[in-house]
Amino acid sequence: RFYYPGEPQQAAILKLRYAIENRRSAALLCGASGTGKTLVGGMLRATLDASFSPIVHLVFPQMPTAELLGYLADEMEGEEPGAAPTTTRRSVRRIKDFLGKNAHAGHHAVLIVDEAHLIDSAETFESLRLLLNFETEGQPGITLLLCGQTALLPKLERMPALEERLSVKSLLRPLTERETGEYVSHRLRVAGATSPIFDPQAMAALHG
């Protein structure tokens, strides 16, 4: 209810929906802290129909690669993590088999990696890229959505094999002063306010 459909946010959702609904391999959502990347990701999930499943939301991408792949396999299959340590080979096999079955059932998986700018390991980025090679009848079984702050951009530049898979890149700009005022007014109305609370000078100070 509180989501403010600002121009940059709406444009980002449309671009990312295009990438997912057309079964593109990967897409990028990037912006400074506080521009609404996580909220856009949540609204994006709400707009996708049931054929786009499972949607795995990774919010802690700094795991060691073997643990990361095991986590993704568990999340895709909807299983609780086992007590025994998993191996990269077994996790990759599980992911590959699941994506094949998922595609034959008419579904398309989505992996949203939040805070992707925190990933420092080239091995992790490479493992995420390799997941995009799992195809069924020439179509990728998963769309990877990298979400992060602008520090992510130079990291991707150093990984051209992954960057070239990003068919859509959406950069969220900060709200303008006018949009900031509309954002605050919208949130207040949804919360139950029936009259203005802040004067224009306060809105300008908030934006600044």
Side-chain angles (χ1 to χ4, degrees):
R1 294 191 303 127
F2 285 92
Y3 171 69
Y4 165 68
E7 179 183 335
Q9 289 73 28
Q10 291 295 92
I13 291 174
L14 287 175
K15 288 182 179 180
L16 299 175
R17 277 191 63 183
Y18 170 85
I20 294 172
E21 291 176 348
N22 287 278
R23 269 64 167 179
R24 300 302 174 89
S25 294
L28 172 70
L29 175 63
C30 194
S33 177
T35 49
K37 297 180 296 297
T38 299
L39 183 56
V40 165
M43 295 302 297
L44 173 66
R45 294 177 62 174
T47 64
L48 296 173
D49 65 48
S51 66
F52 297 98
S53 66
I55 300 177
V56 177
H57 189 187
L58 177 64
V59 297
F60 191 87
Q62 294 173 291
M63 306 180 200
T65 303
E67 292 183 17
L68 175 63
L69 293 172
Y71 173 83
L72 295 179
D74 290 336
E75 290 293 301
M76 288 181 189
E77 295 178 342
E79 294 185 0
E80 292 294 327
T86 187
T87 65
T88 299
R89 179 179 178 180
R90 181 170 182 271
S91 297
V92 169
R93 171 60 63 180
R94 289 173 60 198
I95 293 172
K96 180 178 184 296
D97 290 346
F98 174 82
L99 291 178
K101 294 175 183 176
N102 198 55
H104 284 301
H107 297 282
H108 182 76
V110 180
L111 170 57
I112 301 175
V113 180
D114 223 337
E115 306 290 349
H117 60 279
L118 297 177
I119 301 176
D120 290 321
S121 168
E123 181 184 5
T124 298
F125 279 119
E126 183 66 4
S127 295
L128 292 172
R129 183 186 72 83
L130 291 174
L131 294 180
L132 307 180
N133 291 332
F134 295 145
E135 297 184 347
T136 300
E137 298 178 356
Q139 290 285 337
I142 190 169
T143 295
L144 169 66
L145 173 56
L146 296 175
C147 303
Q149 296 180 21
T150 52
L152 177 60
L153 297 176
K155 294 184 179 184
L156 292 173
E157 289 177 357
R158 295 192 291 270
M159 305 203 64
L162 175 57
E163 186 178 32
E164 69 182 12
R165 303 294 291 269
L166 299 170
S167 62
V168 168
K169 297 179 181 179
S170 181
L171 304 180
L172 275 179
R173 63 167 175 78
L175 298 178
T176 64
E177 183 173 329
R178 175 186 59 80
E179 290 169 336
T180 299
E182 293 174 351
Y183 166 80
V184 173
S185 298
H186 169 77
R187 301 272 295 200
L188 290 173
R189 283 195 302 272
V190 175
T194 57
S195 60
I197 294 177
F198 302 107
D199 61 30
Q201 290 78 16
M203 292 293 194
L206 176 64
H207 175 262

